[in-house]
Amino acid sequence: MKLRSLLVLAGMASLSLLHAQYGSFDAGAVKSAKALPLVVVLDAGDSPYNRTVMNAVKSEWKFNGASDFITVSDLGMQPMSADKVYLLKTRRTDPVKFEGTFMAVVRGWKQKKGEALAQTENCFTSIPVEQELASILIDPKAIAEGKAAPMINLYVKHLQDYLRLVEGGKITDKATADRTYTDRTRLVRETELVFSKDHLDKSLPSADAIKAQYTSAFSIGDVIAPVEAQDRTKMVSDAVITIGDHKNKHCFKRVFNAGTGELMYLRDDAAIFGKKEGFIEEDLKAISRAR
């Protein structure tokens, strides 16, 4: 297949995954879900994800008044409840067949007789899109290895921030969501932006390469420390590459406030043939020029 065709297909896939990173735009649906209890669905067995999401929900989840914890296996043996909201992991496949894993806030529904919840690797694969209230792409491998598990704290805060924006009427469609995050991007320059070396593309091999495009305060180092310290004065990088081979992977780059979990910047690029696998010059330019 020609490169141009691959790029077109990757662009179609990007739209699919990018939409899934938002969620519902229905303020009424979010408001009604707010009054329901939250059920957090954990991995089967012990895992870094379980430990971190339990602590994050207990300390940070304010959207619902009550919460409970069950495992993937537990949910597989009982029907969804229309009177509950679930925080769980989903797996979605886009038009060119590469996959993305998400943390998602899902409104339960009354399942039909015989309707089962399909799941693989602790991720549900048959959640109807219309039931998702908010979701964000995650890196299950990095989380399972423990090195990215603390980022779940940011994701939990971000999901609630998104729900509040929809509930308050600030986000009503994809365009207003994009505008909301674009308006925040200029604020990144007022703080220190901490890049993980793992989140930088090989085209940005050093601090000097970054300085050539980004003149505000930044460092290359540990993004986990400011997240664990809940340091509102720092922004942190995050990059997730979708599951796939070298011909169709996609890289989603994000910048979060390390303390509040607010999403400050979002951009995605086709990461085919080993290129654009992290932040690139175009990201630095976009943050530098944001107004």
Side-chain angles (χ1 to χ4, degrees), residues 180-199:
T180 296
Y181 299 130
T182 299
D183 288 345
R184 289 177 176 178
T185 301
R186 62 182 176 81
L187 302 175
V188 174
R189 300 194 303 274
E190 299 178 7
T191 65
E192 179 185 348
L193 173 53
V194 184
F195 291 102
S196 167
K197 182 68 174 177
D198 292 340
H199 299 157

Side-chain angles (χ1 to χ4, degrees), residues 130-143:
E130 61 270 18
Q131 298 302 128
E132 289 192 8
L133 300 174
S135 59
I136 185 167
L137 189 70
I138 64 173
D139 184 341
K141 184 175 183 292
I143 291 171

Side-chain angles (χ1 to χ4, degrees), residues 84-188:
K84 294 179 180 178
V85 174
Y86 298 82
L87 178 62
L88 46 73
K89 289 187 289 185
T90 65
R91 181 78 56 86
R92 297 207 177 277
T93 303
D94 61 55
V96 292
K97 305 302 181 186
F98 65 80
E99 296 179 328
T101 300
F102 300 82
M103 275 188 73
V105 181
V106 174
R107 173 68 183 264
W109 70 95
K110 186 176 180 179
Q111 291 178 252
K112 298 176 183 179
K113 186 176 180 179
E115 180 184 2
L117 290 177
Q119 63 97 9
T120 180
E121 298 179 344
N122 296 300
C123 301
F124 292 92
T125 58
S126 58
I127 301 294
V129 174
E130 61 270 18
Q131 298 302 128
E132 289 192 8
L133 300 174
S135 59
I136 185 167
L137 189 70
I138 64 173
D139 184 341
K141 184 175 183 292
I143 291 171
E145 292 172 349
K147 61 183 179 181
M151 298 298 285
I152 293 170
N153 290 284
L154 289 186
Y155 302 154
V156 164
K157 292 176 181 178
H158 160 73
L159 291 171
Q160 292 179 94
D161 180 55
Y162 179 83
L163 292 170
R164 285 190 292 266
L165 291 168
V166 174
E167 181 187 14
K170 188 166 185 178
I171 288 180
T172 57
D173 53 23
K174 184 178 179 298
T176 51
D178 289 338
R179 192 177 309 125
T180 296
Y181 299 130
T182 299
D183 288 345
R184 289 177 176 178
T185 301
R186 62 182 176 81
L187 302 175
V188 174

Side-chain angles (χ1 to χ4, degrees), residues 36-281:
L36 303 177
L38 176 73
V39 178
V40 182
V41 183
L42 306 174
D43 293 346
D46 187 31
S47 71
Y49 175 83
N50 285 358
R51 295 190 292 273
T52 309
V53 78
M54 288 178 70
N55 290 335
V57 169
K58 288 176 181 177
S59 62
E60 304 295 342
W61 195 269
K62 314 297 182 187
F63 185 74
N64 304 92
S67 60
D68 192 15
F69 299 88
I70 64 174
T71 68
V72 167
S73 301
D74 294 333
L75 187 56
M77 294 186 292
Q78 61 184 256
M80 278 272 192
S81 172
D83 296 325
K84 294 179 180 178
V85 174
Y86 298 82
L87 178 62
L88 46 73
K89 289 187 289 185
T90 65
R91 181 78 56 86
R92 297 207 177 277
T93 303
D94 61 55
V96 292
K97 305 302 181 186
F98 65 80
E99 296 179 328
T101 300
F102 300 82
M103 275 188 73
V105 181
V106 174
R107 173 68 183 264
W109 70 95
K110 186 176 180 179
Q111 291 178 252
K112 298 176 183 179
K113 186 176 180 179
E115 180 184 2
L117 290 177
Q119 63 97 9
T120 180
E121 298 179 344
N122 296 300
C123 301
F124 292 92
T125 58
S126 58
I127 301 294
V129 174
E130 61 270 18
Q131 298 302 128
E132 289 192 8
L133 300 174
S135 59
I136 185 167
L137 189 70
I138 64 173
D139 184 341
K141 184 175 183 292
I143 291 171
E145 292 172 349
K147 61 183 179 181
M151 298 298 285
I152 293 170
N153 290 284
L154 289 186
Y155 302 154
V156 164
K157 292 176 181 178
H158 160 73
L159 291 171
Q160 292 179 94
D161 180 55
Y162 179 83
L163 292 170
R164 285 190 292 266
L165 291 168
V166 174
E167 181 187 14
K170 188 166 185 178
I171 288 180
T172 57
D173 53 23
K174 184 178 179 298
T176 51
D178 289 338
R179 192 177 309 125
T180 296
Y181 299 130
T182 299
D183 288 345
R184 289 177 176 178
T185 301
R186 62 182 176 81
L187 302 175
V188 174
R189 300 194 303 274
E190 299 178 7
T191 65
E192 179 185 348
L193 173 53
V194 184
F195 291 102
S196 167
K197 182 68 174 177
D198 292 340
H199 299 157
L200 296 172
D201 180 63
K202 59 187 177 184
S203 62
L204 293 175
S206 65
D208 287 340
I210 294 176
K211 286 179 184 177
Q213 301 295 336
Y214 189 75
T215 58
S216 299
F218 78 91
S219 61
I220 301 174
D222 180 15
V223 299
I224 300 303
V227 171
E228 292 182 330
Q230 301 189 53
D231 189 344
R232 292 174 176 236
T233 70
K234 293 184 179 179
M235 306 290 175
V236 294
S237 68
D238 191 29
V240 178
I241 299 176
T242 56
I243 303 168
D245 63 27
H246 68 281
K247 295 180 180 179
N248 62 9
K249 289 189 295 185
H250 226 76
C251 182
F252 287 78
K253 287 77 63 78
R254 292 89 68 103
V255 173
F256 292 95
N257 182 296
T260 67
E262 292 173 305
L263 181 62
M264 311 298 291
Y265 175 75
L266 173 66
R267 179 189 171 105
D268 66 290
D269 286 295
I272 59 176
F273 303 109
K275 296 180 179 180
K276 300 183 179 180
E277 294 185 334
F279 281 76
I280 57 178
E281 284 190 5

